Amino acid sequence: MGLDFLENGADFEAAISATGFGRFHFCLLAVTGLIYANTAIGITIVSFVLPAATCDFRMTSADKGWLTAAPMLGMVLGSYFWGSLADTKGRRVVLISTLLIDGIIGIVSSFVQILSVFMACRFVNGFCIAGAMGLVFPYLGEFQATKYREKILCWMEIFWTLGVILLPLIAWGIIPITGIRIESGGFSYDSWNWFVAACGVPSLLLGFWLFAFPESPKFMMEVGDYDDALNCLKFIYKQNTGDDPDNYPIKTLKEKVRTVSVASQNSQKSVRSLSMRKPKDLKRLFGEIWVQTKALCKPPYLKYTIITCLLQFGLTTSYYTLMIWFPELFNRYEEFEQRFPNTSASVCDVSGIVIDEGSEDPFDCLKTIDKNVYMHTLIVGLACIPTSLWLPLFVHKLGAKFILIFSLFLAGVVTVSLYYVQTSTQNLVLSCIFEALTSLAISLLFCVLVDLFPTNLRVMAAALSLTAGRGGGLIGNLSFGYLIDINCIVPIVVFASFLFISALLCFLLPKTGQEALD
């Protein structure tokens, strides 16, 4: 790297490289990774509420389908909303807002006694989780130099695995506890309520922790806040080196043509400073959002917008539907094997027999969740550790594109195989492989998204693809709730097809991780 930047101003790549790599980046990885782990908990928390709260809410399988769909509907609407704000107001402020709202509503929902109101609360949780999930990768990636970015982003997969492991541990530690049920008139607060409240606390803690971190310097440069961006880079330099921030070698940043929108180019006022309470500023803010949305729907970004949306739809529909329903399926297998020991049956047969034979206790008020359900869900999470550790070590050698294609295709094969399992052990093994492969693909897709789109469109592009994916998750959970008791071969075939099609679509993606962020 030459010394021209000392006189003419440095571009972002030179500026972020000059900060070094150290304490700040490790702390940032920790907080963003834990946020990602928290989204894994928030998305799949309903999987343990389904069997635990069936009696209190008097839920049928169709009701369970609606309950699992409620957060997905929130994600469909929340992805674009938060993405739009993040590409105009900033990443950090939106991340903090989503986490604090999610935590507060999560705790409040634990006190709700009416199923429809509980669904509304889970809708709001999904609405906020979508914002955090769509933002965390761009926010982390925009603090990284090119040589570190892809590997650092791939380390996020281990945090997702951490969330998948922690959820059954928290559930196992709280839901089986007896003697903590509180009843007063028509109000009851059982162990599963305590579990829901406990899962809301991490969002609050992470939201407050994020106040200690700065806004993305890449975003600040994009909207023209060069002084703030330089101060942010000096702060990172101090955190990494322990040196005086005034010794940061770069004194000025290279200004570029403002790409946020025509409105921003013609105004000296940063879009970050727009007030949402002033009609004139609000109008400008919506103008910014509309211009960015149109940019994603025109060349050269249209192709990748369509591909990433289709990929998210196929992958997310399969992943979130099956992962949320796995504990319920494990529960049904345990019940079947207790009634019919040493008898083999497929997943579809087990579901049909359990429902038909269970008419005396349709709302499961006389039984508790078998401990093997927690153990099996925990094993599914632990099975992701090898692939989570393997990914950042080999992503440069094999390439994100190759790993995406491989994991999606193999996940499709595993989904087809679910129809042929005859025991709960076989079901568990396939569930482990499915979770490991699909969670790997989801993290990789976020990594690819960071490189495919420029800073001013990055979060909104992720938001649009997430909207498509959560729409698929919504449809998948609703249909699975009905079909699991009627004809479960249909969703298995559909989900497998989605994964195979997604693998084929990955061939259209370019190689990523080799160039500086636009």
Side-chain angles (χ1 to χ4, degrees):
M1 183 173 64
L3 300 177
D4 292 343
F5 65 81
L6 293 176
E7 295 182 2
N8 303 322
D11 61 15
F12 175 75
E13 185 65 22
I16 198 67
S17 297
T19 65
F21 187 89
R23 178 187 171 191
F24 174 83
H25 290 92
F26 291 121
C27 290
L28 181 67
L29 177 61
V31 70
T32 52
L34 290 173
I35 291 171
Y36 195 44
N38 186 58
T39 63
I41 292 174
I43 288 170
T44 53
I45 181 178
V46 174
S47 61
F48 284 102
V49 173
L50 290 182
T54 298
C55 181
D56 284 348
F57 283 140
R58 319 296 285 180
M59 286 190 288
T60 63
S61 289
D63 290 331
K64 293 178 181 180
W66 281 105
L67 180 55
T68 58
M72 291 296 168
L73 178 58
M75 290 181 191
V76 170
L77 301 178
S79 295
Y80 183 76
F81 174 81
W82 295 116
S84 301
L85 283 183
D87 272 340
T88 49
K89 299 291 287 183
R91 283 74 162 114
R92 175 178 168 272
V93 65
V94 174
L95 256 179
I96 291 173
S97 300
T98 59
L99 289 168
L100 295 181
I101 297 172
D102 177 54
I104 293 169
I105 296 298
I107 294 172
V108 169
S109 71
S110 70
F111 294 93
V112 171
Q113 304 293 298
I114 303 171
L115 179 59
S116 59
V117 179
F118 185 77
M119 286 182 183
C121 289
R122 299 322 303 178
F123 167 84
V124 177
N125 286 123
F127 187 84
C128 295
I129 288 170
M133 193 173 188
L135 272 170
V136 70
F137 275 83
Y139 182 68
L140 174 62
E142 288 174 5
F143 282 93
Q144 313 299 326
T146 301
K147 63 178 179 179
Y148 299 115
R149 187 175 62 251
E150 190 169 58
K151 185 171 288 188
I152 286 294
L153 290 174
C154 285
W155 276 111
M156 292 288 277
E157 168 61 14
I158 193 68
F159 287 97
W160 180 270
T161 301
L162 176 64
V164 174
I165 292 171
L166 283 176
L167 182 66
L169 286 176
I170 296 170
W172 199 354
I174 297 176
I175 293 178
I177 298 176
T178 56
I180 59 173
R181 183 180 178 91
I182 300 172
E183 287 194 75
S184 177
F187 176 82
S188 64
Y189 201 85
D190 209 346
S191 57
W192 71 265
N193 300 92
W194 290 103
F195 164 69
V196 171
C199 290
V201 173
S203 291
L204 291 177
L205 297 178
L206 289 167
F208 287 119
W209 188 11
L210 209 55
F211 277 103
F213 291 84
E215 179 57 85
S216 157
K218 178 65 175 168
F219 172 78
M220 288 190 283
M221 289 176 66
E222 190 67 31
V223 297
D225 291 340
Y226 294 100
D227 291 340
D228 289 343
L230 186 59
N231 289 332
C232 173
L233 292 164
K234 288 180 178 179
F235 170 78
I236 298 171
Y237 173 78
K238 179 184 178 183
Q239 293 291 311
N240 284 339
T241 65
D243 196 6
D244 190 313
D246 291 335
N247 293 332
Y248 179 57
I250 290 171
K251 306 305 179 185
T252 59
L253 298 172
K254 184 184 294 182
E255 296 193 17
K256 57 179 288 187
V257 177
R258 305 278 287 280
T259 57
V260 174
S261 76
V262 175
S264 292
Q265 293 173 24
N266 296 335
S267 172
Q268 296 302 312
K269 188 177 183 181
S270 167
V271 69
R272 291 174 63 214
S273 64
L274 295 176
S275 173
M276 297 184 69
R277 293 187 294 271
K278 296 179 180 179
K280 188 175 181 180
D281 283 0
L282 195 60
K283 183 179 179 181
R284 260 200 63 201
L285 185 63
F286 283 123
E288 304 281 354
I289 293 170
W290 177 240
V291 169
Q292 289 169 295
T293 305
K294 287 194 297 183
L296 285 172
C297 299
K298 294 189 295 187
Y301 306 116
L302 177 61
K303 174 185 175 182
Y304 295 134
T305 300
I306 293 173
I307 291 173
T308 53
C309 285
L310 290 175
L311 276 173
Q312 281 278 17
F313 181 87
L315 174 57
T316 306
T317 302
S318 307
Y319 176 78
Y320 286 129
T321 304
L322 290 177
M323 281 310 301
I324 287 175
W325 279 86
F326 274 154
E328 174 72 10
L329 295 179
F330 292 151
N331 202 38
R332 293 187 182 192
Y333 247 118
E334 289 299 324
E335 183 177 347
F336 174 83
E337 292 183 346
Q338 287 176 7
R339 292 181 184 176
F340 309 100
N342 302 318
T343 303
S344 298
S346 69
V347 172
C348 295
D349 292 337
V350 165
S351 295
I353 293 171
V354 168
I355 292 300
D356 290 340
E357 297 290 329
S359 56
E360 294 181 3
D361 183 25
F363 300 116
D364 300 337
C365 293
L366 302 178
K367 68 176 183 179
T368 57
I369 303 175
D370 192 284
K371 66 178 181 180
N372 286 331
V373 175
Y374 301 109
M375 178 62 74
H376 289 174
T377 311
L378 177 61
I379 292 172
V380 169
L382 292 172
C384 298
I385 293 178
T387 52
S388 300
L389 295 173
W390 173 83
L391 177 60
L393 299 177
F394 289 90
V395 66
H396 272 317
K397 296 179 182 178
L398 299 176
K401 180 177 177 179
F402 171 80
I403 300 175
L404 257 178
I405 294 169
F406 175 79
S407 58
L408 285 168
F409 181 80
L410 197 54
V413 174
V414 171
T415 304
V416 172
S417 303
L418 282 172
Y419 180 70
Y420 297 99
V421 301
Q422 292 296 310
T423 65
S424 60
T425 303
Q426 294 173 0
N427 183 53
L428 175 61
V429 170
L430 289 180
S431 300
C432 289
I433 300 172
F434 178 86
E435 162 67 19
L437 292 170
T438 49
S439 64
L440 193 73
I442 286 174
S443 295
L444 270 174
L445 188 53
F446 280 119
C447 296
V448 170
L449 271 166
V450 171
D451 275 3
L452 284 180
F453 298 93
T455 303
N456 65 302
L457 301 175
R458 186 169 294 126
V459 179
M460 192 170 291
L464 279 177
S465 68
L466 279 170
T467 299
R470 301 311 176 260
L474 172 65
I475 296 170
N477 275 285
L478 283 175
S479 61
F480 201 85
Y482 285 101
L483 293 173
I484 185 64
D485 299 335
I486 302 172
N487 188 0
C488 79
I489 183 60
V490 174
I492 289 177
V493 170
V494 171
F495 296 154
S497 301
F498 283 167
L499 291 168
F500 288 134
I501 293 170
S502 297
L504 294 175
L505 284 171
C506 288
F507 282 101
L508 301 177
L509 293 172
K511 290 185 178 180
T512 56
Q514 309 301 316
E515 299 178 1
L517 288 180
D518 185 3

